[in-house]
mmCIF file of all heavy atoms in Angstrom:
data_model
loop_
_atom_site.group_PDB
_atom_site.id
_atom_site.type_symbol
_atom_site.label_atom_id
_atom_site.label_comp_id
_atom_site.label_asym_id
_atom_site.label_seq_id
_atom_site.Cartn_x
_atom_site.Cartn_y
_atom_site.Cartn_z
ATOM 1 N N TYR A 11 -11.158 9.901 38.497
ATOM 2 C CA TYR A 11 -12.011 8.730 38.692
ATOM 3 C C TYR A 11 -11.463 7.964 39.882
ATOM 4 O O TYR A 11 -10.292 7.571 39.856
ATOM 5 C CB TYR A 11 -11.986 7.810 37.462
ATOM 6 C CG TYR A 11 -12.576 8.428 36.210
ATOM 7 C CD1 TYR A 11 -11.745 8.802 35.162
ATOM 8 C CD2 TYR A 11 -13.941 8.614 36.082
ATOM 9 C CE1 TYR A 11 -12.275 9.355 34.002
ATOM 10 C CE2 TYR A 11 -14.475 9.161 34.930
ATOM 11 C CZ TYR A 11 -13.641 9.526 33.897
ATOM 12 O OH TYR A 11 -14.176 10.076 32.761
ATOM 13 N N VAL A 16 -7.218 12.191 36.090
ATOM 14 C CA VAL A 16 -7.073 11.915 34.659
ATOM 15 C C VAL A 16 -6.852 13.209 33.875
ATOM 16 O O VAL A 16 -6.142 13.232 32.873
ATOM 17 C CB VAL A 16 -8.337 11.170 34.163
ATOM 18 C CG1 VAL A 16 -8.357 11.061 32.672
ATOM 19 C CG2 VAL A 16 -8.405 9.785 34.801
ATOM 20 N N ALA A 35 -0.847 9.874 23.549
ATOM 21 C CA ALA A 35 -0.926 8.411 23.619
ATOM 22 C C ALA A 35 -2.278 7.983 24.167
ATOM 23 O O ALA A 35 -2.972 8.765 24.824
ATOM 24 C CB ALA A 35 0.191 7.891 24.528
ATOM 25 N N SER A 36 -2.603 6.746 23.918
ATOM 26 C CA SER A 36 -3.811 6.160 24.475
ATOM 27 C C SER A 36 -3.758 6.278 26.002
ATOM 28 O O SER A 36 -2.717 6.023 26.612
ATOM 29 C CB SER A 36 -3.830 4.702 24.028
ATOM 30 O OG SER A 36 -5.036 4.155 24.348
ATOM 31 N N GLY A 37 -4.841 6.728 26.605
ATOM 32 C CA GLY A 37 -4.871 6.872 28.069
ATOM 33 C C GLY A 37 -4.412 8.225 28.563
ATOM 34 O O GLY A 37 -4.414 8.482 29.767
ATOM 35 N N SER A 38 -4.033 9.142 27.631
ATOM 36 C CA SER A 38 -3.525 10.444 28.084
ATOM 37 C C SER A 38 -4.651 11.391 28.508
ATOM 38 O O SER A 38 -4.386 12.441 29.088
ATOM 39 C CB SER A 38 -2.659 11.088 27.002
ATOM 40 O OG SER A 38 -3.380 11.212 25.794
ATOM 41 N N GLY A 39 -5.906 11.033 28.173
ATOM 42 C CA GLY A 39 -7.038 11.843 28.650
ATOM 43 C C GLY A 39 -7.811 12.575 27.557
ATOM 44 O O GLY A 39 -8.695 13.379 27.866
ATOM 45 N N LYS A 40 -7.525 12.272 26.284
ATOM 46 C CA LYS A 40 -8.155 13.008 25.174
ATOM 47 C C LYS A 40 -9.680 12.853 25.192
ATOM 48 O O LYS A 40 -10.416 13.820 25.083
ATOM 49 C CB LYS A 40 -7.615 12.516 23.810
ATOM 50 C CG LYS A 40 -6.112 12.609 23.666
ATOM 51 C CD LYS A 40 -5.648 12.095 22.314
ATOM 52 C CE LYS A 40 -5.926 10.625 22.061
ATOM 53 N NZ LYS A 40 -5.194 9.690 22.953
ATOM 54 N N SER A 41 -10.099 11.599 25.312
ATOM 55 C CA SER A 41 -11.526 11.325 25.263
ATOM 56 C C SER A 41 -12.233 11.940 26.477
ATOM 57 O O SER A 41 -13.304 12.545 26.350
ATOM 58 C CB SER A 41 -11.696 9.806 25.231
ATOM 59 O OG SER A 41 -12.995 9.484 25.001
ATOM 60 N N THR A 42 -11.609 11.816 27.631
ATOM 61 C CA THR A 42 -12.182 12.402 28.846
ATOM 62 C C THR A 42 -12.306 13.918 28.687
ATOM 63 O O THR A 42 -13.324 14.512 29.062
ATOM 64 C CB THR A 42 -11.306 12.060 30.072
ATOM 65 O OG1 THR A 42 -11.178 10.638 30.144
ATOM 66 C CG2 THR A 42 -11.903 12.584 31.361
HETATM 67 P P1 ADP B 301 -7.484 8.672 25.659
HETATM 68 O O1 ADP B 301 -8.743 9.170 25.025
HETATM 69 O O2 ADP B 301 -6.343 9.632 25.525
HETATM 70 O O3 ADP B 301 -7.118 7.287 25.259
HETATM 71 P P2 ADP B 301 -9.096 8.490 28.063
HETATM 72 O O4 ADP B 301 -9.627 9.847 28.314
HETATM 73 O O5 ADP B 301 -10.007 7.488 27.433
HETATM 74 O O6 ADP B 301 -7.738 8.606 27.250
HETATM 75 O O7 ADP B 301 -8.612 7.847 29.423
HETATM 76 C C1 ADP B 301 -7.723 8.526 30.317
HETATM 77 C C2 ADP B 301 -7.592 7.735 31.595
HETATM 78 O O8 ADP B 301 -8.820 7.791 32.305
HETATM 79 C C3 ADP B 301 -7.293 6.266 31.361
HETATM 80 O O9 ADP B 301 -6.387 5.841 32.357
HETATM 81 C C4 ADP B 301 -8.637 5.616 31.562
HETATM 82 O O10 ADP B 301 -8.490 4.303 32.031
HETATM 83 C C5 ADP B 301 -9.290 6.486 32.613
HETATM 84 N N1 ADP B 301 -10.755 6.520 32.490
HETATM 85 C C6 ADP B 301 -11.465 7.010 31.449
HETATM 86 N N2 ADP B 301 -12.787 6.896 31.661
HETATM 87 C C7 ADP B 301 -12.927 6.302 32.893
HETATM 88 C C8 ADP B 301 -14.055 5.921 33.697
HETATM 89 N N3 ADP B 301 -15.321 6.121 33.272
HETATM 90 N N4 ADP B 301 -13.789 5.348 34.881
HETATM 91 C C9 ADP B 301 -12.530 5.156 35.322
HETATM 92 N N5 ADP B 301 -11.432 5.510 34.624
HETATM 93 C C10 ADP B 301 -11.620 6.068 33.419
#
Side-chain angles (χ1 to χ4, degrees):
Y11 295 108
V16 170
S36 189
S38 56
K40 303 179 297 295
S41 188
T42 304

